[in-house]
Amino acid sequence: MANENKLQDIIGHCKEYGFVFPSSEIYDGLGAVYDYGQYGVELKRNIRDYWWRSMTQMHDNIVGLDAAIFMHPTVWKASGHVDNFSDPMIDNKDSKKRYRVDHLIEGFVENLDQEKAEAIIAAMEALLAADDFAGLKKLIEENNIKCAVSGTCNWTDVRQFNLMFATEFGAVASDNPDDNKVYLRPETAQGIFVNFLNVQKTGRMKIPFGIAQTGKAFRNEIVARGFIFRMREFEQMEMQFFVRPGTQKQWYEYWKEARMKWHLSLGISDAKYKFHDHVKLAHYADAACDIEYDFPMGFKEVEGIHSRTDFDLKQHQEYSKKKMQYFDNDLDENGKPYGNYIPYVVETSIGLDRTVMMILSEAYELQDLSTEDKKDDRVVLKFPPFLAPIKLAVLPLTKKDGLPEIAEALMKECRPHFRCFTEEKDTIGKRYRRQDAIGTPFCVTIDHQTKEDQTVTIRHRNSMLQERVPMSDIKNIVLKNLEVL
Ligand code: GAP
């Protein structure tokens, strides 16, 4: 069930504790663009590293790639993004001003009472989802939504708006602005397709094999809200798996299962996930599904698995006039080599920011610890230890009596192995709560007894249980809890 309060709590928490900030906040932010703070960047990197390791290190036949964000403009012609990657917009005939349909409607409802505003937004979202452009125009006209410049309701039909960001390349002046136009990539996948033969030949890869890549993608999203769920600048983790034509269904099923296993390995229960099989397939796909997670706003896509046929490679072969074929010298059932063909592709594509949001939604807990005498609550982020930004906090009980020096010795031992943190200020209770709020799985307190017998108190984040252990065991206790694969 959707839980708007939890979402707002998470957004507030992320800002207060250095996970995610609105971009350029001192200038009132930039729509659907966010910056990751000191803990957010660690969490995001840990998720990215885990995905990378699961894909490349754990699969001998998958290698990595880091393609540039800028690509030759024809790439996006060939991929279909120039012609098809679009959302609806509308022009006012009197002012000639162009509006994105959602922006126009959202601006209009700002001055309405909440109930009416919600009804109009819900109608708009349903029409957008159904690509019902005539319905969107009718919604605008029925509500007498006017252009802010001309003040009239004299609108064109609703038309498509391309979601790619364009910029100019190089310093050569031209009368035709399209001459220097390049796009910020809207997906990382095309960098993999155009490098398919480079990697296959130099890596001596044999089909079936995969190429994995993580990196930024940019989309001028029409409905950009939901915190880091839908952003205009975001990061994808994609893998294209190249297979022999005719085997794609079997590989599609393989990757569906493998990716769901990966999700479950994050410590999230299977009740929080579901597959959404696409009924209406994109023109290039012969099977597709989403893995949906139960976000505070309800079940939504976190990852897509697509059997993309040979569409992309074929298109690049046609537009570049370069062969995108693979020679398969394995023998078919008649004992003949399969020979030359354009491979089919099964893609797994997961949003990194969306995964961060999933992990945050899963980990966030507001606990009421009040007793009869005292009101008390704590916010704890129950990250799996291997994803936590900080693994260990080393807390000397006081600033004196040599305790900070002992803490520093433990830090020195642990620092090369995992991210740890030390602080001396405030009561131990307050320091524990701060570590709970950033999801640190272990806190160690150094006290006067440590000086006597070299033992420390280790506190476990989830249970808040404390136990006395030799200080020399700490590094291994933490390391043991970081194991995943
Ligand atoms: N190459 C295929 C592709 O890009 P997609 O379904 O458009 O497919 C894949 O995107 C994943 O990228 C999504 O499942 C989602 O996790 C993430 N994603 C897409 N658009 C996003 C956005 N605007 N903000 C954050 N993540 C996004």
Side-chain angles (χ1 to χ4, degrees), residues 56-208:
T56 62
Q57 189 175 325
M58 300 305 286
H59 290 94
D60 295 343
N61 59 348
I62 302 182
V63 292
L65 178 76
D66 183 12
I69 287 172
F70 288 134
M71 299 184 75
H72 193 285
T74 311
V75 166
W76 306 110
K77 265 273 186 230
S79 67
H81 284 83
V82 170
D83 295 327
N84 300 321
F85 197 57
S86 42
D87 268 342
M89 62 180 195
I90 195 164
D91 291 7
N92 183 270
K93 288 185 194 164
D94 299 319
S95 67
K96 311 277 181 254
K97 193 161 162 40
R98 177 166 294 171
Y99 294 87
R100 294 214 345 235
V101 167
D102 66 320
H103 283 181
L104 182 69
I105 297 174
E106 282 171 354
F108 169 74
V109 302
E110 268 172 19
N111 301 320
L112 301 182
D113 66 64
Q114 197 182 345
E115 201 178 324
K116 182 116 205 279
E118 281 176 4
I120 293 176
I121 293 295
M124 176 191 83
E125 287 184 345
L127 292 165
L128 282 171
D131 284 339
D132 184 348
F133 297 165
L136 284 164
K137 184 175 181 191
K138 202 161 155 229
L139 184 71
I140 291 169
E141 287 175 342
E142 277 175 359
N143 285 284
N144 200 19
I145 302 179
K146 297 193 175 82
C147 165
V149 179
S150 67
T152 69
C153 194
N154 190 12
W155 297 108
T156 61
D157 286 342
V158 173
R159 282 172 304 201
Q160 290 285 47
F161 165 82
N162 197 290
L163 297 190
M164 282 194 294
F165 285 101
T167 187
E168 280 176 44
F169 204 66
V172 185
S174 162
D175 292 339
N176 180 359
D178 278 352
D179 287 353
N180 300 334
K181 195 170 178 180
V182 290
Y183 298 100
L184 299 187
R185 66 181 177 198
E187 62 171 12
T188 59
Q190 297 303 323
I192 296 180
F193 289 124
V194 299
N195 278 294
F196 149 70
L197 276 184
N198 282 339
V199 173
Q200 187 273 316
K201 289 195 169 131
T202 56
R204 295 152 53 87
M205 306 301 292
K206 255 181 85 69
I207 269 179

Side-chain angles (χ1 to χ4, degrees), residues 187 189 219 221 228-231 234 236 238 301-304 306 308 347 349-351 354:
E187 62 171 12
R219 296 182 189 178
E221 290 287 0
I228 53 173
F229 181 82
R230 194 177 300 285
M231 303 156 87
F234 58 100
Q236 289 186 314
E238 299 200 296
E301 171 186 351
V302 64
E303 172 156 10
H306 315 122
R308 291 180 75 128
E347 166 185 74
S349 175
I350 178 168
R354 238 174 240 193

Side-chain angles (χ1 to χ4, degrees), residues 431-458:
R431 283 184 269 170
Y432 282 159
R433 288 298 159 87
R434 277 202 293 273
Q435 294 307 314
D436 290 342
I438 62 167
T440 305
F442 301 103
C443 289
V444 156
T445 303
I446 313 283
D447 56 20
H448 293 91
Q449 192 184 328
T450 312
K451 286 171 68 174
E452 312 291 316
D453 62 7
Q454 287 77 49
T455 63
V456 292
T457 304
I458 184 163

